[in-house]
Amino acid sequence: MSEERYFHAYLMQGHWLEALYRGHRASEYFTDLGYKSIAIYGMGDLANRLLDDLAGSEVRVCYGIDRDAAGTVCGMENVYGPEDRLPGVDVIVVTPFYAFEAIRRELEKKVSCPIVSIEEVIWSI
């Protein structure tokens, strides 16, 4: 990841932490839009923080999607590769924000649900 991407991730995570201190959680974004079931694309650090943030909320993370589905280390039982058949959910959240447009275009060929960037979620809380 480039220096600019790291800086952008740093700013986003700072905003997220500040929102948590103020009592806001990522689940607000999903519940405000009526999303009850989600999938997370990209099972790195941001995905794991999202899983932590959503724990205990009414938003259910149904599965993860990752190019290295067999090698991911996360707290999820079901992790699919992007080429796999993906079960239906209300929305997919893409955590590699720097590649969002390319990932969105690929996922749109397979799913009919909305696809959002982690940036949209975090900057909205």
Side-chain angles (χ1 to χ4, degrees):
M1 197 166 17
S2 72
E3 191 173 308
E4 182 180 331
R5 289 180 189 166
Y6 278 117
F7 182 68
H8 189 75
Y10 168 80
L11 290 176
M12 184 172 51
Q13 289 181 32
H15 174 79
W16 197 350
L17 188 56
E18 185 179 317
L20 288 169
Y21 284 144
R22 291 186 320 235
H24 297 287
R25 310 251 333 251
S27 60
E28 295 172 20
Y29 171 87
F30 301 107
T31 57
D32 286 351
L33 293 170
Y35 300 142
K36 295 181 176 154
S37 63
I38 72 169
I40 301 174
Y41 185 104
M43 300 312 301
D45 289 335
L46 287 174
N48 286 311
R49 296 303 66 79
L50 183 57
L51 284 167
D52 292 341
D53 192 344
L54 294 173
S57 77
E58 61 278 7
V59 177
R60 187 169 53 100
V61 181
C62 299
Y63 60 89
I65 308 165
D66 198 279
R67 291 192 188 285
D68 184 20
T72 59
V73 179
C74 65
M76 298 195 63
E77 285 184 27
N78 298 320
V79 178
Y80 298 96
E83 70 284 348
D84 294 333
R85 184 181 168 281
L86 302 174
V89 289
D90 293 335
V91 65
I92 297 174
V93 181
V94 176
T95 60
F97 59 89
Y98 48 88
F100 173 70
E101 288 302 325
I103 293 167
R104 181 185 55 78
R105 283 192 299 273
E106 286 303 309
L107 287 174
E108 284 178 337
K109 296 173 186 174
K110 299 188 64 140
V111 299
S112 59
C113 67
I115 302 161
V116 299
S117 173
I118 188 72
E119 289 181 295
E120 182 176 334
V121 175
I122 299 310
W123 289 108
S124 73
I125 58 174

